[in-house]
Amino acid sequence: MNRQYLMRRVLIALPSLLGISIVLFTVLAMAPGDPFEELATNPNIPPEVRLALRAKFGLDDPIWSRYLHWLFAMLHGDWGFSFVSRVNVDTLILQRLPTTLIVIGSSQLLAILVALPIGVLAATRPYSLFDQIANTFAFVGFSLPPFFTGLLLILVFSVQLDWLPFVYRADINATGWQFYWEHIKQSIMPVMVLGLFQGASLVRYVRSSVLDVIRLDYVTTARSKGIGERKVITKHVVRNAMIPVVTLVALQMPIVFGGAIVTEQIFRVPGIGSLLISAMLANDTPVVMAVTFVFAALVVLCNLIADILYGWLDPRIAFR
């Protein structure tokens, strides 16, 4: 891996995060609503107390001044204070971020493990019975929205069969292997909803990418040298076909996080997606800003990882 290529990717990611933070902060600052609206309508709280709080948090300062204050505070580890929960925003996020990362990471791993073998097999046997079945399930999979699939799984596996819990509980009263097994059981349906939705679209894309590569001249040359078909597919076809697939996975990350927000609401998963929804309903602007920025940072990070994978899959990219 070319070190200069990696440094260029990182230097591109940093201005992207800065631009995203400016847009997010400006939009939220111009949005209607007042986080201290309840204080204004509460007769037990004097008006001077509300004005003092607004002055303390700088809500009446210009937007550019408030943004600079937020940016420098965030760089020093101060992500703000939740008006509703009465705790620091970074504390709230750190409590919920691991759950979201586990669900999203597991779902993406499931999507890749399902899509890669099915897509490659479908491409090596085009228009066969297996290819037609795979395409049919792929069309059905990405045509159904996550909220519908989630409710369907709840009706089947929780209501009818009573196999899996449909409410995610963070306070499991168990120890040892039983503790981990209970966490795995309640994670199965959220992971399946997100993973199969993403895997369905990846199957089609993997199939198309492999079909494009498998017809190239160097693949025909490798076969003419007597190399086995399995080695030709795994060594010469799949690696080059993965470059556009990595692009698709990186570009789909905003959709994945959006689907995670919906899924967390359906299964009551205590992640940052459900935290974002509750903060928006309560007009808790510091929490909304921080959680949205975390989502944006995770998307930029995933694109940075995709750029690194480009350089590994095709070393020529790293030298351009």
Side-chain angles (χ1 to χ4, degrees):
M1 175 67 65
N2 191 339
R3 185 174 297 178
Q4 292 182 352
Y5 169 78
L6 180 59
M7 290 301 300
R8 286 200 305 267
R9 298 298 98 189
V10 173
L11 292 176
I12 291 174
L14 292 178
S16 301
L17 285 175
L18 182 64
I20 290 171
S21 67
I22 294 174
V23 173
L24 288 177
F25 194 92
T26 304
V27 171
L28 290 175
M30 297 176 63
D34 187 351
F36 294 116
E37 185 177 356
E38 293 184 5
L39 300 181
T41 57
N42 192 336
N44 297 322
I45 298 178
E48 55 269 18
V49 174
R50 183 170 64 91
L51 294 176
L53 287 173
R54 293 184 65 87
K56 177 182 178 181
F57 290 103
L59 296 181
D60 295 323
D61 294 341
I63 294 179
W64 63 267
S65 176
R66 291 158 57 188
Y67 170 75
L68 291 178
H69 177 76
W70 174 85
L71 179 62
F72 287 118
M74 186 196 67
L75 292 177
H76 286 86
D78 181 9
W79 285 51
F81 186 78
S82 172
F83 300 137
V84 176
S85 302
R86 304 294 192 267
V87 295
N88 292 329
V89 175
D90 56 345
T91 303
L92 284 175
I93 293 177
L94 290 177
Q95 288 174 350
R96 298 182 176 231
L97 183 60
T99 303
T100 297
L101 292 180
I102 290 173
V103 172
I104 291 179
S106 301
S107 64
Q108 284 299 98
L109 181 62
L110 175 63
I112 293 172
L113 291 177
V114 170
L116 285 184
I118 294 179
V120 171
L121 286 175
T124 55
R125 305 169 186 175
Y127 311 111
S128 64
L129 179 61
F130 178 83
D131 185 25
Q132 294 177 10
I133 294 175
N135 284 326
T136 301
F137 277 103
F139 277 120
V140 173
F142 65 73
S143 298
L144 298 177
F147 70 86
F148 177 82
T149 310
L151 294 176
L152 185 63
L153 292 182
I154 289 175
L155 288 175
V156 174
F157 294 103
S158 296
V159 177
Q160 296 293 332
L161 300 177
D162 195 22
W163 288 354
L164 301 172
F166 65 89
V167 175
Y168 195 104
R169 293 176 50 221
D171 54 340
I172 294 178
N173 188 17
T175 57
W177 287 107
Q178 183 66 23
F179 175 81
Y180 295 105
W181 172 241
E182 292 297 327
H183 270 287
I184 292 174
K185 280 176 60 178
Q186 65 184 4
S187 302
I188 289 176
M189 288 196 292
V191 170
M192 285 183 61
V193 168
L194 286 174
L196 296 180
F197 177 74
Q198 296 300 319
S201 59
L202 280 178
V203 166
R204 293 283 300 168
Y205 207 83
V206 170
R207 177 186 181 275
S208 177
S209 182
V210 172
L211 278 176
D212 290 339
V213 174
I214 208 170
R215 298 165 181 165
L216 297 179
D217 293 338
Y218 77 90
V219 178
T220 305
T221 303
R223 285 172 174 159
S224 65
K225 291 181 178 179
I227 301 176
E229 184 67 17
R230 178 176 297 181
K231 191 173 182 180
V232 169
I233 296 298
T234 56
K235 185 176 179 180
H236 296 278
V237 175
V238 173
R239 180 166 180 171
N240 290 288
M242 287 303 102
I243 295 177
V245 174
V246 169
T247 304
L248 179 67
V249 173
L251 293 176
Q252 281 189 337
M253 289 313 298
I255 302 175
V256 173
F257 286 113
I261 294 175
V262 176
T263 305
E264 288 182 3
Q265 287 296 104
I266 294 174
F267 296 101
R268 299 295 185 265
V269 178
I272 58 174
S274 58
L275 176 63
L276 176 62
I277 297 298
S278 60
M280 292 175 65
L281 294 176
N283 200 21
D284 199 355
T285 308
V287 177
V288 175
M289 177 64 199
V291 173
T292 310
F293 183 74
V294 168
F295 275 129
L298 290 174
V299 172
V300 172
L301 177 62
C302 291
N303 281 271
L304 178 62
I305 294 174
D307 289 338
I308 295 173
L309 289 176
Y310 293 155
W312 176 71
L313 291 170
D314 189 354
R316 294 172 300 174
I317 298 177
F319 294 96
R320 291 177 183 174

